[in-house]
Amino acid sequence: MKRKRVVVLGATGSIGDSTLKVAHDIPERMEIVGLAANSNAEKLAAAANITRPKAICLVDERKIDLLRTRLKYEPKIFAGQNGLREIARLEDVDMVLIAIVGTAGLHPALDAIESGKDLAVASKEILVMAGEVVTAAARKRGVKILPVDSEHNAIFQCLDGRASEVRRIILTASGGPFRETPANRLGDVTVEEALKHPTWNMGPKITIDSATLFNKGLEMIEAHWLFGVEMKRVEVVIHPQSIVHSMVEFADGSMLAQMSYSNMCFPIQYAVTWPDRVPNTLPPLDFSTLSKLEFFPPRYEDFPALNLARRAGETGGTLPAVMNAANEVAVAAFLNGRLRFPQIWLTVAQVMDRHRTVAHPDLDAILAADQWARAEATAAIGKK
Ligand code: NDP
């Protein structure tokens, strides 16, 4: 069995932490050969000092000196946006794991594909904004895109290569911290309340997306591209315990589900070791303490993100990129106290309504739509 040589982009974040734990847990199967972060020089140096990759990258060039002073060995150091693209093309690498929050991972993802590396994707934004471009590039170059997002990793496990026999893909959602909050109270929820996810410990952007259900909306579009399944076959069910990570219903009516505790090390490990399964130190499910698994339909009217995402995914073209960019701007404004919670989806809907969708866009058209949506959302928020 081969040891995978992995570059991790977004190494200082929540997924980055879990990826380093997996590498520590299965050293015979996984070797970290590159680590990249945006500006957290101390944390990047600390991680590098432990895992000793041959290359590291810090996008924020002002912190390179600080990074050097903290390193206890001499890896190759890349800096800036170009550095991120260079480390994605590093030689003698099997897989690039993209865990950069937002859209900054798109170019490095394409670089990794073009230079023949498999991609492990946590950054759902990449597939939402440029699913057609990224999956076509991977097909052309003959590389794999392996899902790290727990839901898509679950579907990947259930499908086991049989995408043509699928009747429905059912994404599970915890429902977030406001699953039971009455609609008339959503206007008063605070940033602190929104950041308290009931079952997962994640970075701030995805945690807010889980509270609005935009996270699940993004995942619907991600599933459509990853598995080549039409949007109308991708459904969502609320499952507060986050034990069933998603399900697939096949043509014969049989349904397969994947279960584990909510710990991102499970999907990260499977993305790295696929198609093999190898032992680890992760806790197995204990059914003597799991008293119930519940499933409910989502509250579509109170959480419009799901219908906005369905509309974006079904329309396709540049609309998913616009939804994603407007959401990023709105989430940042909510975190800064400049928007109320429901104004996140109101802003996104407003920007989507104003967009003139371009069908089958190339990368330039996608990036132009992304920029347009950011400017529109910023202007809309300024007026609120
Ligand atoms: P975090 O906010 O915890 O970490 C983000 C990481 O991205 C950090 O390493 C950060 O570096 C880096 N980064 C941010 N901006 C840039 C940039 N412009 N260029 C290069 N690096 C950058 O996020 P998460 O780990 O929670 O999420 C990462 C991605 O994974 C997101 O797309 C999210 O949707 C997805 N995901 C996360 C899950 C989770 O459990 N956390 C589950 C499933 C998917 P620095 O620290 O230096 O700022």
Side-chain angles (χ1 to χ4, degrees), residues 158 206 233 238 361 382:
C158 295
I206 183 172
R233 294 179 190 269
I238 303 293

Side-chain angles (χ1 to χ4, degrees), residues 9-18 36-41 43-44 57-60 80-81 84 98-105 108 121-126 148-151 200-207 209 215 218-219 222 263-264 267:
L9 310 186
T12 49
S14 157
I15 291 284
D17 289 344
S18 299
N38 188 33
S39 66
N40 195 340
K43 190 164 175 186
L44 180 64
C57 171
L58 195 63
V59 174
D60 186 346
Q81 299 288 349
L84 195 63
I98 313 246
I100 291 176
V101 67
T103 49
V121 179
S123 307
K124 56 198 88 193
E125 298 90 339
I126 293 175
V148 165
D149 218 347
S150 58
E151 292 77 1
W200 292 96
N201 187 9
M202 310 180 285
K205 159 72 170 47
I206 183 172
T207 305
D209 284 347
N215 182 48
L218 296 171
E219 288 176 4
E222 185 185 7
N263 180 335
M264 286 307 294

Side-chain angles (χ1 to χ4, degrees), residues 268-287:
I268 292 168
Q269 170 172 324
Y270 191 65
V272 171
T273 65
W274 175 84
D276 302 326
R277 295 188 181 272
V278 300
N280 55 30
T281 61
L282 295 172
L285 277 182
D286 177 357
F287 283 102

Side-chain angles (χ1 to χ4, degrees), residues 220 300-301 303-312 352:
M220 287 162 63
Y300 290 102
E301 299 223 333
F303 293 90
L306 291 176
N307 284 335
L308 287 171
R310 186 169 295 286
R311 185 178 126 205
M352 283 173 66

Side-chain angles (χ1 to χ4, degrees), residues 42-55:
E42 286 100 336
K43 190 164 175 186
L44 180 64
N49 286 334
I50 295 169
T51 50
R52 302 272 164 153
K54 63 181 178 185

Side-chain angles (χ1 to χ4, degrees), residues 69-362:
T69 61
R70 299 293 166 101
L71 284 169
K72 296 185 180 142
Y73 74 114
E74 291 186 1
K76 184 165 176 46
I77 299 179
F78 295 100
Q81 299 288 349
N82 280 341
L84 195 63
R85 299 189 62 172
E86 283 178 76
I87 199 170
R89 291 179 167 272
L90 198 68
E91 283 185 3
D92 302 322
V93 168
D94 302 303
M95 172 179 275
V96 175
L97 190 148
I98 313 246
I100 291 176
V101 67
T103 49
L106 177 57
H107 277 299
L110 290 169
D111 289 320
I113 290 172
E114 276 164 21
S115 58
K117 296 152 182 51
D118 286 343
L119 213 60
V121 179
S123 307
K124 56 198 88 193
E125 298 90 339
I126 293 175
L127 288 164
V128 170
M129 74 187 292
E132 194 170 355
V133 170
V134 172
T135 52
R139 261 196 313 276
K140 192 169 160 209
R141 192 63 177 78
V143 300
K144 299 245 158 6
I145 302 181
L146 294 140
V148 165
D149 218 347
S150 58
E151 292 77 1
H152 304 79
N153 194 274
I155 295 161
F156 181 66
Q157 295 193 41
C158 295
L159 281 177
D160 206 15
R162 292 172 306 220
S164 60
E165 298 160 14
V166 171
R167 191 188 283 166
R168 284 188 298 163
I169 278 178
I170 300 169
L171 298 168
T172 53
S174 71
F178 308 127
R179 181 172 62 85
E180 295 184 310
T181 305
N184 62 6
R185 280 211 46 238
L186 290 175
D188 301 323
V189 302
T190 64
V191 171
E192 290 67 33
E193 287 170 324
L195 283 173
K196 272 196 206 111
H197 195 278
T199 49
W200 292 96
N201 187 9
M202 310 180 285
K205 159 72 170 47
I206 183 172
T207 305
I208 301 302
D209 284 347
S210 299
T212 57
L213 295 195
F214 264 113
N215 182 48
K216 213 49 55 183
L218 296 171
E219 288 176 4
M220 287 162 63
I221 302 173
E222 185 185 7
H224 160 63
W225 285 116
L226 272 173
F227 306 115
V229 171
E230 305 140 278
M231 281 296 290
K232 66 176 187 216
R233 294 179 190 269
V234 182
E235 297 181 10
V236 173
V237 68
I238 303 293
H239 167 48
Q241 291 78 21
S242 298
I243 294 292
V244 174
H245 296 301
S246 279
M247 301 174 261
V248 175
E249 186 182 80
F250 290 94
D252 59 0
S254 268
M255 199 172 275
L256 295 187
Q258 185 265 340
M259 295 191 274
S260 70
Y261 286 120
S262 43
N263 180 335
M264 286 307 294
C265 291
F266 286 104
I268 292 168
Q269 170 172 324
Y270 191 65
V272 171
T273 65
W274 175 84
D276 302 326
R277 295 188 181 272
V278 300
N280 55 30
T281 61
L282 295 172
L285 277 182
D286 177 357
F287 283 102
S288 67
T289 59
L290 270 182
S291 55
K292 60 180 174 186
L293 297 178
E294 297 169 294
F295 301 92
F296 306 102
R299 291 163 55 194
Y300 290 102
E301 299 223 333
D302 300 337
F303 293 90
L306 291 176
N307 284 335
L308 287 171
R310 186 169 295 286
R311 185 178 126 205
E314 280 174 357
T315 306
T318 44
L319 198 57
V322 163
M323 181 191 84
N324 176 63
N327 179 52
E328 256 184 64
V329 173
V331 169
F334 172 71
L335 285 169
N336 291 330
R338 286 167 46 229
L339 275 192
R340 285 175 182 273
F341 188 65
Q343 286 176 312
I344 298 177
W345 56 76
L346 292 174
T347 304
V348 175
Q350 192 180 329
V351 176
M352 283 173 66
D353 287 345
R354 288 173 59 83
H355 183 61
R356 294 175 68 178
T357 301
V358 178
H360 304 294
D362 60 13

